[in-house]
Amino acid sequence: MSETRKNDSGIEIKKVYEGTGKPNETSLPGTYPFTRGIQEDMYRGKLWTMRQYAGFSTAEESNKRYKFLLEQGVTGLSVAFDLPTQIGYDSDHALSEGEVGKVGVAIDSIDDMEILMDGIDLEKVSTSMTINATAFILLALYVAVAKRKGADIAKLNGTIQNDILKEYAARGTYIYPPQPSMRIITDIMEWCSKEMPKWNTISISGYHIREAGSTAVQEVAFTLSNGKSYVKAAIEKGIDINTLGKRLSFFFNAHNNLFEEVAKFRAARKIWANIMKELGATDPKAMMLRFHTQTGGSTLTQQQPLNNISRVTIQALAAVLGGTQSLHTNGYDEALGLPTQEAAQVALRSQQIIAFESGAADTADPLGGSFYVEALTTEMETEINTLINYIDQKGGSVKFIEEGHMQEQIAQSAYQYQRAIEEKEKIIVGVNQFTAQENSKTPVFKIDEQVQTSQIEKLNQLKKKRDANNVASCLNAIEKAARSKENLMPVVIEAVEHYCTLGEISDTLRKVFGEHRQ
C-alpha cells in the first residue's frame, strides 16, 4: 500500500490526526487505553478481515459457497452450523427432524468436516466458527481434519465463538448447566494455549444480546461483564492472563445509528483495557479489545428488501469507523431466508467499496476529535461502567444470568423498542413510514428437503465402517475425563478421529453434567 494517501480533491491524508486540546483526546491509536484503536496506523497497515458468514444444507453445498466467496475476495471464512449441530444432536435424532441443514451446515462427524474444508488451505485461511455448547467438538473436528491434511495445528488461525453465558441470556443453544459449561471453556483455553497459540479460544458475543433486543449500552456492558467472568475462571485454572488476553476476541453488532455505534466501539475498547489491567494484565497487547462485527440482522426488513443494502452499508461503515478487526455484512434478503449467492456478493462488495473507495480506511480513528463523537463516547463509557458495576454488586455475570436479571433487562428493552416502532416514535423506512404497495420479486434461497435423508445415510455408512470397540473405548475415556479434572480436548480429538459422532460425544457428557433447564 502507498504511504501517501490523498482524497478525491488531491488533499493529502495524514496517517493520524493528533489532539487539538479537546478534553477527551487522551491517547493516540495503538496506545493504552486504546480508545482510538488497537493499531497505530489501523487500516493503512492492514485492512480488516472481510468475512462472509455462510453454512447451509450439506457440507458439500457449503464448501461450494466457501470456494465462491474466497474467489470473490473474502479473507476469512465464518461457518454457520445447523440447529442440531449447535445443541449436540446428530442428524438422525428425533429432535433433529425438520431442522437439518436449515440455518447452517449439518456436521455429524469427521467425514462431514473433511468435506466442508475440502480444497481449502487451513494454514492460510482464517476460520471463524459460530458454535457454543458444542464448540469443543467442532474444534476437535477441525483439528483432526487439519492433521489429516498434514497442516501444522500450531499455525491454524481462527476463532470459535465458545461463549455460553450469552446463550443462557439471549440465544438459547445451551446444553449443560453454567458451571460445567465454564469448565469446558477453560479446558479449551488451556489446551489451545499450549497446542494452538494463534487460535482465538473464545469470541465473547454481544451480537446475539443486541439481536434479542438490548440497547447498545446493555450490549457492551453485558458482553464485557461476561468477559470478566471468563477471564476470572481462566485465572483460577492457572492460565496466564497475559497469554489469555492476546487470544480473546469479541463479537459486536452494528446497528443503524452511525455515531452511537462508533462511540460504542470506542468506549468498549477503553473499558476493556481498564478491566484487564485491574484483573492483573501487564502486557498492553493483553489489554487490547479485538473484535469482529456483524451488521444487524434484526434491523433488516422483509418490506422493500433492497433498502437493506443501505442499512448494511451504514452499519458496516460504523464498524470500520469504530475500528473493527473483522467484519461480516448481511445479505439484503436475509429477512426472507438464507442469503442467495447474489446477495452475499453484494454484501461483500459493500465492504470492498468502503475499503477502497470511501476513504474511511485512510486514517486511524477518523471521527476522533469530533465534539459529538467524543462526548458520546464519554457518555457511553459512563453508562456502560455503571451497569457493569451493578452486575458486580449482584455477584457477577454468571449469578446475574442464573437469577434471570440479564434476560429481564433485555426483554424490557426489546418491548420498549417495539412499542416505539408501533407508535411511530421510531421510524423504520418501508415499515411504519414511506410504505408502498409491494409485489416483491426478490428470489428466496431454499434448502433441499432431502438433506436430512442424505445426512442419515452418511451416518449409517460411517457406523458400518468404524470399529465399534474403538468408539466405546473413546466414549468411556471422555466420561472418565469429565468426572475428573482431566482436560477434555485430547480425549475428544481422539474420539472424533475414531469416528465418534457429535451426538454421541454430547450424550456422553449429558450423562455426567446433566442438561440445563430454564
Side-chain angles (χ1 to χ4, degrees):
M1 292 185 178
S2 171
E3 279 301 305
T4 302
R5 299 285 180 89
K6 297 181 179 180
N7 64 19
D8 289 344
S9 299
I11 299 170
E12 186 170 334
I13 309 296
K14 297 179 182 178
K15 182 171 73 173
V16 61
Y17 291 81
E18 299 187 29
T20 56
K22 297 182 179 69
N24 293 321
E25 292 178 356
T26 57
S27 68
L28 291 173
T31 62
Y32 178 87
F34 310 107
T35 311
R36 302 193 63 196
I38 63 170
Q39 286 105 12
E40 181 183 349
D41 57 358
M42 286 304 290
Y43 306 129
R44 286 173 75 122
K46 180 184 177 183
L47 288 172
W48 63 92
T49 301
M50 298 184 191
R51 296 188 183 276
Q52 283 304 114
Y53 185 49
F56 56 88
S57 185
T58 61
E60 290 89 346
E61 291 301 312
S62 292
N63 177 261
K64 291 177 187 176
R65 177 65 67 89
Y66 296 152
K67 288 176 178 174
F68 167 77
L69 291 170
L70 289 167
E71 289 169 0
Q72 298 303 309
V74 157
T75 52
L77 298 176
S78 290
V79 184
F81 298 97
D82 73 355
L83 191 56
T85 302
Q86 292 181 49
I87 55 178
Y89 294 119
D90 288 333
S91 296
D92 59 359
H93 195 282
L95 292 177
S96 299
E97 183 68 34
E99 294 294 340
V100 176
K102 288 293 177 69
V103 299
V105 61
I107 299 293
D108 296 317
S109 72
I110 189 172
D111 286 353
D112 288 331
M113 183 62 82
E114 189 166 40
I115 294 167
L116 187 70
M117 295 298 162
D118 179 58
I120 297 170
D121 189 336
L122 301 187
E123 286 189 12
K124 293 183 179 178
V125 71
S126 170
T127 304
S128 173
M129 294 187 277
T130 303
I131 195 73
N132 297 283
T134 55
F136 65 108
I137 305 174
L138 272 301
L139 180 60
L141 288 165
Y142 192 82
V143 168
V145 167
K147 288 166 68 177
R148 277 189 178 183
K149 286 172 168 277
D152 181 352
I153 65 169
K155 294 180 180 178
L156 299 183
N157 179 24
T159 305
I160 42 173
Q161 191 162 104
N162 198 28
D163 174 9
I164 203 65
L165 291 179
K166 65 93 175 50
E167 296 296 325
Y168 303 119
R171 193 162 174 263
T173 61
Y174 46 76
I175 302 175
Y176 316 111
Q179 293 304 330
S181 293
M182 292 291 282
R183 176 259 174 99
I184 293 171
I185 288 168
T186 54
D187 276 3
I188 295 169
M189 290 175 173
E190 181 182 53
W191 185 84
C192 286
S193 69
K194 299 171 184 175
E195 305 293 337
M196 294 175 70
K198 292 187 175 182
W199 194 269
N200 296 316
T201 53
I202 190 167
S203 176
I204 306 157
S205 175
Y207 184 84
H208 303 99
I209 290 170
R210 191 70 177 279
E211 289 292 283
S214 80
T215 64
V217 165
Q218 289 171 330
E219 176 192 358
V220 174
F222 294 158
T223 304
L224 299 191
S225 184
N226 288 347
K228 284 178 70 174
S229 294
Y230 292 127
V231 172
K232 287 179 178 179
I235 292 171
E236 289 174 8
K237 187 93 171 180
I239 300 171
D240 177 29
I241 189 172
N242 286 315
T243 301
L244 173 69
K246 296 172 189 176
R247 297 268 59 90
L248 294 176
S249 68
F250 290 80
F251 176 23
F252 290 118
N253 211 313
H255 275 217
N256 290 328
N257 189 314
L258 180 80
F259 297 103
E260 180 182 30
E261 296 301 300
V262 172
K264 174 187 81 176
F265 296 132
R266 297 172 93 246
R269 270 193 299 271
K270 182 177 180 182
I271 294 167
W272 184 247
N274 289 328
I275 286 172
M276 289 296 280
K277 191 172 186 179
E278 289 168 7
L279 290 173
T282 55
D283 188 332
K285 290 184 177 179
M287 304 176 199
M288 294 177 178
L289 185 146
R290 303 166 183 81
F291 66 97
H292 169 70
T293 309
Q294 181 174 339
T295 55
S298 62
T299 69
L300 304 180
T301 64
Q302 292 182 342
Q303 302 92 330
Q304 302 176 26
L306 290 177
N307 292 348
N308 293 326
I309 297 174
S310 297
R311 293 188 177 99
V312 168
T313 302
I314 291 169
Q315 294 162 10
L317 182 60
V320 170
L321 294 174
T324 193
Q325 278 61 67
S326 172
L327 178 60
H328 163 83
T329 34
N330 290 334
Y332 65 83
D333 56 359
E334 288 190 48
L336 303 171
L338 290 171
T340 60
Q341 189 162 293
E342 179 192 45
Q345 185 180 56
V346 170
L348 176 61
R349 293 291 181 257
S350 297
Q351 291 199 51
Q352 291 165 336
I353 289 168
I354 291 170
F356 298 106
E357 296 185 31
S358 74
D362 287 340
T363 186
D365 189 30
L367 293 184
S370 156
F371 288 118
Y372 177 40
V373 170
E374 294 293 355
L376 194 55
T377 300
T378 299
E379 289 174 34
M380 295 283 283
E381 179 190 350
T382 300
E383 292 293 321
I384 292 164
N385 273 324
T386 297
L387 185 47
I388 290 174
N389 291 336
Y390 176 70
I391 295 168
D392 287 343
Q393 290 167 13
K394 290 288 187 179
S397 196
V398 175
K399 188 175 181 183
F400 199 69
I401 290 168
E402 287 178 334
E403 294 179 353
H405 300 307
M406 192 177 292
Q407 299 91 311
E408 183 181 349
Q409 288 197 17
I410 293 169
Q412 183 62 27
S413 295
Y415 169 75
Q416 291 171 350
Y417 183 85
Q418 185 60 34
R419 188 178 66 176
I421 292 172
E422 291 174 1
E423 295 180 359
K424 293 193 175 182
E425 294 172 5
K426 183 170 186 62
I427 299 301
I428 306 296
V429 173
V431 176
N432 63 357
Q433 192 74 284
F434 313 112
T435 58
Q437 289 285 68
E438 292 187 66
N439 182 19
S440 178
K441 295 181 180 179
T442 302
V444 178
F445 188 88
K446 294 188 182 297
I447 298 296
D448 187 343
E449 295 298 330
Q450 296 302 309
V451 169
Q452 185 163 10
T453 303
S454 170
Q455 283 298 115
I456 291 172
E457 178 58 29
K458 284 198 286 185
L459 273 169
N460 290 337
Q461 293 299 320
L462 177 93
K463 290 174 182 178
K464 286 178 183 178
K465 75 176 183 179
R466 68 187 187 176
D467 185 317
N469 290 328
N470 283 339
V471 169
S473 176
C474 288
L475 295 178
N476 286 335
I478 290 172
E479 183 174 350
K480 182 181 177 182
R483 294 189 187 280
S484 69
K485 292 185 179 180
E486 182 184 346
N487 193 297
L488 286 167
M489 283 302 299
V491 289
V492 173
I493 292 170
E494 185 177 2
V496 300
E497 288 176 332
H498 284 91
Y499 299 101
C500 293
T501 69
L502 175 134
E504 290 168 338
I505 296 168
S506 299
D507 284 345
T508 299
L509 293 182
R510 282 183 174 95
K511 287 196 300 183
V512 180
F513 298 145
E515 292 188 84
H516 182 67
R517 296 279 186 261
Q518 289 220 31

